[in-house]
Amino acid sequence: MVYLTRKEHFNAAHKLYNAAWSIEKNEMMFGACANENWHGHNYDLYVTIKGEPDVNTGFIMDVKVFSKIIKEYAVDKLDHKNLNLDVDFMKGKMCSTENLAMAIWQEIEPHLPKNVTLHCIKLYETARIYVEYFGE
Ligand code: NI
């Protein structure tokens, strides 16, 4: 079994805000991420698949096709967008990095060829903070 990772990058705005809470409680919980007029993050996205290398190519998957799937179903929908307002698959969810990683998994997984398995969505919100989602 071999693991293959594609790294992508996107910039997006968001706000973390629980409407059931007071402004003070939101600011206490979410800090700068509760800023009323939005703010941005530079996200780094690592998508890892696993599989067996094909006898004829030595690849587990054509990386051009892999890259195209990630771009079409995740990056193009997220880059330079407002996660709370513009992204269909984040509607009604808290736009945390955790929820975003899980949603990206749901968007990408159905489009991968059957001979590979999605292994991990790793999403950096800052250079020092990232989440990993393994589909469970
Ligand atoms: Ni934030």
Side-chain angles (χ1 to χ4, degrees), residues 23-93:
I23 291 172
E24 292 75 21
K25 188 170 179 181
N26 273 287
E27 286 176 351
M28 199 186 304
M29 176 59 69
F30 301 121
C33 280
N35 182 51
E36 187 177 353
N37 292 321
W38 318 103
H39 65 279
H41 289 281
N42 300 311
Y43 291 95
D44 279 323
L45 170 64
Y46 294 77
V47 181
T48 303
I49 54 173
K50 61 183 178 181
E52 297 293 342
D54 180 84
V55 174
N56 297 307
T57 63
F59 300 153
I60 69 168
M61 184 176 174
D62 182 333
V63 291
K64 295 186 296 298
V65 176
F66 186 32
S67 177
K68 189 168 178 288
I69 290 169
I70 298 167
K71 279 205 166 70
E72 184 174 349
Y73 297 103
V75 174
D76 287 353
K77 293 183 174 181
L78 297 164
D79 193 28
H80 288 77
K81 296 292 195 308
N82 180 315
L83 300 179
N84 299 71
L85 301 180
D86 300 329
V87 180
D88 55 357
F89 58 79
M90 293 307 291
K91 285 268 156 61
K93 296 176 184 169

